[in-house]
Amino acid sequence: MTATTPAAPLLVIGNGPAAHQLLDRIRHFGCQDPVTVLGAEDTPAYHRALLTSALDGSLPAEAMELPPPPGDTTIHTGACAVRIDRARRLVHTADGGVFPYSRLVLATGAAPLIPGLPGLRTPDGEPAAGVAVLRTLADCARLTDPAEMAARAPVTILGAGSLGVEAAFALALKDRPVTLVHPGPWPMDHLLDRTAGTLVCDRLAAAGVEVVTGTPAASYAPGTLTLADGRALAAGTLLLCTGVLPETGLARAAGLGVRTGIVVDDRLGTDDPLIHAIGDCAEHRGNRGGSLASGWAQAEALARHLATGARGVAAARRVLRPRIAGPGLVVLGIPGSVPADETITLNDPANGRYARLELTGERISSGVLIGFDRAIATTTELYVHDLPVPRDRLSLLLGRAARVARKGPVELCPDSVVCLCNNVTHQDLTDAWHAGARKVTDLATATRATTGCGGCTRQVESICTALASTKAAATGS
Ligand SMILES: Cc1cc2nc3c(=O)[nH]c(=O)nc-3n(C[C@H](O)[C@H](O)[C@H](O)COP(=O)(O)OP(=O)(O)OC[C@H]3O[C@@H](n4cnc5c(N)ncnc54)[C@H](O)[C@@H]3O)c2cc1C
């Protein structure tokens, strides 16, 4: 190997949420070194978790953008890295660019998994005609082709995990006939029990989605998906929501250790001391992240390691908030993954509401809540910050234990946390707005609201609109 080139920057491959968090956190820990980012997509970094809001047209692509990173950071969009030359510490891009590095971070994420079902690929390995995926804004643009939207062309979705469920609601909202096919007994059966799964199924049916469960798909030919029981479903567009695979091609070709993901240790290091990996592409202690929370925890740990030499990755507290029609759904952690000391359930089928929380000690180890919006806000905050639940469990589920004190016991006071990921209150946003942050992106820069899972972006937009109207009314403008 050659000696480290002092002028070479920290180079990051990938411009998704994990990379974005790393760029923010290394400055937080005081690192002022130059950073270069190579992102294969043509767009600035955006909230991937909000893609179905672009699919149903409720958010313009610009509102999904993440704020520009602080400090001396150069971002190259449309720059796809194709080779790592470890001996010369260089990365080559598809357009002939060559980028030196002092250290390299792989944040290449994951790509949709195309199952080995007959007919899904052409002989040269490309997706067959009519087969679509949903991982990027470009995928969204293809799925919302104006001619197909105008013709209300039907879509069949294969896989009712959280992505398949979200996509079904989004496309149904755009008046597309949607069939959702899932081999399991109910949607999201890997996370939801029968009661919660049935409620989600009812909501899908109410939104006009035809749900076909319990039968795997057998084969595809353009226009038709055939199920194992012989049924043939019309599938002008077949949207695959069948999972993702970590993007490990660059690492593998460079001779780095790869199992399912790129293997990293407690300093997020690969087996090359100058190369790290974070986010959906990484595999830490045998675990593939696959969630925003794990990517952020790894980005935080790597930023701290680069600044201070510390090692260790905090356990990620995963919050999944699939966007469904009607009152919200949240899945905290992975239900059933940790033995529970206590399980609290509240079932209100007449109103389509259900909650199940698993506690270890006095803390939430996992949970599913559907329809209890105030309780969703409170329990999510308790879970994310690993805080004890109040002794009055019912008050928690009924949303009466509203505001959570970050230190000390849980208090009963008005619920005003808007961005649960960053603990930003309505008041914080109002103050920032009055201080001049008038757009969602400005508020994100000022308060960090929306820069977590992005689930509060619409709420922040409404706060912006409400404050602007109040000001206009007050000034008569
Ligand atoms: C619709 C949707 C909803 C979701 N909702 C949730 C949710 O509610 N909660 C949750 O926890 N997770 C959710 N997820 C998953 C979450 O978005 C991912 O876990 C997260 O995006 C992973 O971040 P990442 O930066 O590791 O990878 P990615 O977001 O995949 O970003 C990787 C980036 O690297 C780029 N890249 C790859 N290879 C190269 C290369 N060779 N050269 C240059 N650039 C490259 C890619 O183009 C991409 O932009 C959702 C995902 C989708 C699609």
Side-chain angles (χ1 to χ4, degrees):
M1 289 226 179
T2 58
T4 307
T5 311
L10 170 70
L11 184 64
V12 182
I13 304 181
N15 194 22
H20 186 268
Q21 184 79 352
L22 176 71
L23 301 177
D24 187 84
R25 300 314 285 167
I26 53 172
R27 302 310 182 201
H28 169 84
F29 287 112
C31 169
Q32 300 306 329
D33 295 346
V35 180
T36 299
V37 181
L38 306 176
E41 293 182 68
D42 285 331
T43 52
Y46 59 88
H47 285 302
R48 196 170 305 286
L50 288 181
L51 271 181
T52 49
S53 301
L55 196 61
D56 70 20
S58 58
L59 274 186
E62 311 79 73
M64 295 166 55
E65 279 176 23
L66 291 162
D72 180 3
T73 305
T74 308
I75 298 186
H76 298 269
T77 54
C80 183
V82 290
R83 187 163 72 85
I84 303 168
D85 178 345
R86 288 168 60 193
R88 294 181 180 78
R89 293 177 191 165
L90 298 173
V91 170
H92 296 258
T93 53
D95 59 2
V98 182
F99 295 84
Y101 64 84
S102 55
R103 268 179 201 265
L104 179 63
V105 179
L106 301 173
T108 46
L113 170 71
I114 300 187
L117 205 63
L120 288 182
R121 291 184 188 269
T122 60
D124 54 8
E126 293 302 311
V131 173
V133 293
L134 177 58
R135 181 75 186 179
T136 64
L137 275 170
D139 296 334
C140 247
R142 280 188 283 274
L143 279 163
T144 51
D145 172 74
E148 296 207 359
M149 295 302 266
R152 296 187 58 241
V155 181
T156 293
I157 299 175
L158 186 56
S162 64
L163 180 61
V165 167
E166 274 196 37
F169 278 112
L171 289 165
L173 196 65
K174 295 304 281 182
D175 221 13
R176 299 279 292 266
V178 180
T179 306
L180 180 59
V181 178
H182 187 60
W186 53 80
M188 295 178 64
D189 56 306
H190 61 303
L191 292 172
L192 304 184
D193 59 19
R194 180 183 293 277
T195 311
T198 304
L199 288 180
V200 171
C201 226
D202 293 347
R203 295 263 194 103
L204 283 161
V209 175
E210 186 185 351
V211 183
V212 179
T213 54
T215 312
S219 65
Y220 170 78
T224 309
L225 181 72
T226 305
L227 303 186
D229 62 8
R231 267 180 292 174
L233 305 176
T237 296
L238 177 68
L239 174 57
L240 298 177
C241 294
T242 39
V244 294
L245 267 187
E247 282 281 10
T248 58
L250 276 178
R252 199 184 287 277
L256 300 172
V258 172
R259 284 194 287 260
T260 308
I262 304 166
V263 178
V264 291
D265 58 21
D266 280 353
R267 35 165 218 110
L268 285 316
T270 63
D271 40 22
D272 180 324
L274 295 183
I275 304 184
H276 303 263
I278 56 171
D280 276 9
C281 67
E283 180 176 326
H284 177 244
R285 296 190 177 203
N287 292 321
R288 267 181 55 199
S291 72
L292 290 165
S294 55
W296 294 332
Q298 292 175 1
E300 177 85 13
L302 178 56
R304 189 184 294 108
H305 172 71
L306 294 176
T308 68
R311 287 163 177 255
V313 186
R317 302 193 73 78
R318 182 181 128 136
V319 177
L320 187 66
R321 251 187 294 234
R323 284 160 196 84
I324 64 175
L329 164 66
V330 75
V331 183
L332 308 173
I334 302 184
S337 61
V338 178
D341 298 334
E342 185 183 339
T343 301
I344 313 164
T345 51
L346 185 56
N347 192 6
D348 178 14
N351 292 299
R353 301 191 297 178
Y354 174 68
R356 179 184 168 93
L357 287 180
E358 296 187 343
L359 306 185
T360 304
E362 291 294 298
R363 290 170 160 77
I364 298 169
S365 50
S366 67
V368 171
L369 292 96
I370 178 164
F372 292 103
D373 278 345
R374 285 179 64 83
I376 285 175
T378 315
T379 51
T380 304
E381 197 177 357
L382 289 169
Y383 172 74
V384 167
H385 299 297
D386 199 19
L387 291 166
V389 297
R391 271 185 295 278
D392 181 356
R393 312 297 201 228
L394 196 57
S395 72
L396 177 65
L397 291 181
L398 292 175
R400 293 193 198 125
R403 177 75 170 90
V404 175
R406 294 292 301 278
K407 292 195 178 85
V410 173
E411 292 172 355
L412 298 179
C413 56
D415 173 17
S416 59
V417 175
V418 176
C419 175
L420 293 163
C421 301
N422 295 300
N423 202 35
V424 182
T425 62
H426 191 290
Q427 190 61 51
D428 295 332
L429 289 162
T430 306
D431 293 345
W433 192 90
H434 285 298
R438 298 293 161 92
K439 293 190 299 199
V440 173
T441 44
D442 299 337
L443 286 167
T445 308
T447 66
R448 295 183 52 76
T450 76
T451 65
C453 71
C456 63
T457 304
R458 278 186 236 193
Q459 205 181 340
V460 174
E461 269 199 329
S462 328
I463 290 169
C464 262
T465 311
L467 287 167
S469 326
T470 311
K471 184 163 189 273
T475 57
S477 58

